[in-house]
Amino acid sequence: MPGPQFSSSNSKDSFDVIVVGAGIVGMAHAYTAAQRGLKVCVVERDAACIGASIRNFGFITITGQARGDTWRRAMHAREVWQHIAPQAGIDIVHRNLWLAAYRREAHDVLEAFMRTPMGQGCELLDAVDAQAKAPALSLADACSVLFSPHELRVESRTAIGLLAKWLADVHSVVFRFGETVHEVETPRVRTSRGTLRGERVVVCTNTDLHGLFAERIAAYELTLCRLQMLRVKPEAGFRLPGSVMMDLSLVRYEGYSTLPEAAALRARLREEEDASLARGIHLIVVQSADGSLVVGDSHHYGDAPEPFAMEEVDQLILRHLRSTLNLETAQVTERWTGVYPSSKSAPCVIDAPDDATRVVLVTSGTGASTGFGIAHDVFETW
Ligand SMILES: Cc1cc2nc3c(=O)[nH]c(=O)nc-3n(C[C@H](O)[C@H](O)[C@H](O)COP(=O)(O)OP(=O)(O)OC[C@H]3O[C@@H](n4cnc5c(N)ncnc54)[C@H](O)[C@@H]3O)c2cc1C
């Protein structure tokens, strides 16, 4: 039987690079390849990206990322976002991070963090000073506030579509939406609509652990993590000074949680906030252009996470929101869940089934922050 027929190398079905998945990780690889003058195609099974990349906070987080590769990649990705956002018509809705420490132990973690190289550019403000600068925060009971100038925030639910349009219009990236990739045997990519040719293939399929390269992915012993998110309408005119976090984040984000000082905070939180710890709850608040707040989140792990959002989780998140911000009203207008693959040992998997193929999965809640940095590293060494 004759093998699959590729048309000639300049045909519409032949590419230098085929990317599977049109989330932010796929998009970052498409951008990086196109920047290198390569002819790129992105194949996405849904009619548009509706995965983790549009469900997140759009919070490009630098401060608190794990030291080493993750932090370095986030710093790189931030530069890329800053560079391309205006070109692609993506607003940087706000900048900076304000992380309020309410417990003495949380303050100690922040002090220790400031002594690391990752504290570079950040300031540890006393609560009175911070309150004057950031009246939206409720700091009467706070010890101190970490201010970081590094963070950005984009509106993910529109940014991902705008990025795709810009990559297509300006960088001639071909998008094939509504087409599932069934098999990759580089250069052959078999899809629900036919067979494509890609000299190199990057698989960025996120939570699809049992699809392409399932056996290789299984070796990384990943599970899934489901998060609950809310959109909240505050009173008119309420303005956040930037992204906001508090004590609970210091035992989640590795840049803080791996510091020795985090042990005492963890012990105290176990006594005072056990319900939140048990549900992986901490607080991130970001703001949209219309003034609404995106608020989260929780973390539930399992191989088949249930899609049902729990009211008790939302109520815990809202309690942290009310105690951290000076809000008069907090009307919930939307609730949703999102899922990402999770690893106990690595924030991301870059696997090479062969010389011409890469599987790239972000196995932590950091893909919007690090995707462009990961893609840069992938192409630098390929
Ligand atoms: C609720 C939530 C909040 C988060 N907050 C943040 C945050 O603020 N900052 C941050 O940095 N990170 C955050 N993250 C993590 C971040 O969103 C993810 O790391 C990132 O979106 C992963 O991008 P992706 O492209 O791999 O996945 P996705 O966006 O899920 O895209 C993968 C795509 O692959 C497609 N696909 C799968 N299989 C196939 C196939 N066989 N053929 C064709 N297409 C296929 C899917 O349809 C999907 O569109 C959050 C995650 C969640 C869930």
Side-chain angles (χ1 to χ4, degrees):
M1 225 172 99
Q5 296 298 301
F6 299 124
S7 353
S8 64
S9 61
N10 61 358
S11 89
K12 66 179 183 41
D13 292 340
S14 286
F15 301 91
D16 297 318
V17 176
I18 292 178
V19 176
V20 187
I24 187 59
V25 177
M27 223 66 98
H29 284 83
Y31 167 73
T32 309
Q35 280 288 98
R36 291 170 181 245
L38 300 171
K39 186 181 172 196
V40 183
C41 173
V42 178
V43 188
E44 164 59 52
R45 69 181 169 196
D46 288 322
C49 174
I50 50 170
S53 301
I54 65 149
R55 299 173 189 222
N56 61 32
F57 293 92
F59 182 25
I60 319 303
T61 320
I62 315 296
T63 308
Q65 297 290 12
R67 72 184 65 210
D69 281 347
T70 307
W71 187 77
R72 179 181 56 77
R73 286 168 175 161
M75 286 296 262
H76 179 91
R78 171 185 187 274
E79 296 310 310
V80 177
W81 274 111
Q82 296 217 109
H83 177 64
I84 67 176
Q87 298 175 47
I90 297 169
D91 282 342
I92 305 285
V93 190
H94 56 69
R95 295 167 187 272
N96 310 332
L97 163 70
W98 298 76
L99 195 160
Y102 291 97
R103 294 168 181 81
R104 189 75 220 167
E105 294 84 348
H107 169 76
D108 292 345
V109 175
L110 292 182
E111 269 197 335
F113 174 78
M114 289 298 289
R115 292 192 292 270
T116 72
M118 297 182 294
Q120 153 206 323
C122 300
E123 284 177 69
L124 190 54
L125 307 171
D126 70 51
V128 176
D129 188 14
Q131 187 70 86
K133 291 177 170 147
L137 273 67
S138 173
L139 298 175
D141 298 328
C143 300
S144 59
V145 175
L146 177 76
F147 169 80
S148 161
H150 301 307
E151 280 64 27
L152 307 176
R153 202 256 151 174
V154 298
E155 191 69 53
S156 289
R157 60 178 70 180
T158 51
I160 299 300
L162 288 167
L163 207 47
K165 184 174 179 335
W166 177 70
L167 285 172
D169 293 350
V170 176
H171 291 281
S172 306
V173 173
V174 174
F175 281 87
R176 296 175 67 118
F177 283 103
E179 182 166 353
T180 301
V181 173
H182 290 309
E183 189 181 29
V184 174
E185 206 171 323
T186 313
R188 191 174 63 115
V189 174
R190 191 169 62 77
T191 80
S192 49
R193 282 200 249 146
T195 302
L196 306 173
R197 181 185 177 91
E199 297 309 319
R200 290 189 271 178
V201 179
V202 192
V203 174
C204 307
T205 46
N206 199 32
T207 52
D208 201 25
L209 306 183
H210 307 293
L212 301 172
F213 298 103
E215 280 181 24
R216 294 192 68 90
I217 291 173
Y220 293 92
E221 299 185 338
L222 304 181
T223 187
L224 296 173
C225 177
R226 191 205 66 198
L227 295 76
Q228 283 184 215
M229 304 279 285
L230 302 158
R231 187 176 288 274
V232 168
K233 189 175 167 201
E235 63 272 17
F238 181 87
R239 271 285 141 211
L240 277 192
S243 305
V244 173
M245 298 166 99
M246 43 71 99
D247 297 15
L248 285 162
S249 308
L250 297 174
V251 295
R252 281 212 71 83
Y253 272 66
E254 280 188 34
Y256 317 114
S257 69
T258 54
L259 295 167
E261 288 76 4
L265 175 61
R266 201 172 285 111
R268 182 153 173 204
L269 288 171
R270 253 187 232 120
E271 282 170 21
E272 297 176 1
E273 289 293 350
D274 202 37
S276 290
L277 285 189
R279 293 156 183 79
I281 291 172
H282 75 136
L283 184 73
I284 297 177
V285 193
V286 296
Q287 193 162 35
S288 295
D290 67 358
S292 65
L293 306 173
V294 177
V295 185
D297 54 13
S298 57
H299 297 79
H300 289 87
Y301 298 88
D303 293 339
E306 290 187 347
F308 312 113
M310 288 177 282
E311 181 62 16
E312 70 190 57
V313 169
D314 288 353
Q315 289 306 325
L316 282 166
I317 294 171
L318 288 167
R319 175 163 68 74
H320 297 306
L321 173 75
R322 289 196 189 92
S323 63
T324 306
L325 298 184
N326 280 321
L327 276 174
E328 283 167 25
T329 58
Q331 184 202 342
V332 177
T333 57
E334 284 180 346
R335 300 169 198 261
W336 67 98
T337 61
V339 181
Y340 61 70
S342 171
S343 158
K344 284 203 174 78
S345 54
C348 114
V349 165
I350 302 173
D351 187 66
D354 58 54
D355 284 352
T357 313
R358 297 290 180 271
V359 177
V360 183
L361 306 176
V362 175
T363 51
S364 56
T366 62
S369 308
T370 60
F372 287 108
I374 293 169
H376 170 81
D377 286 1
V378 165
F379 280 97
E380 275 296 289
T381 54
W382 195 15

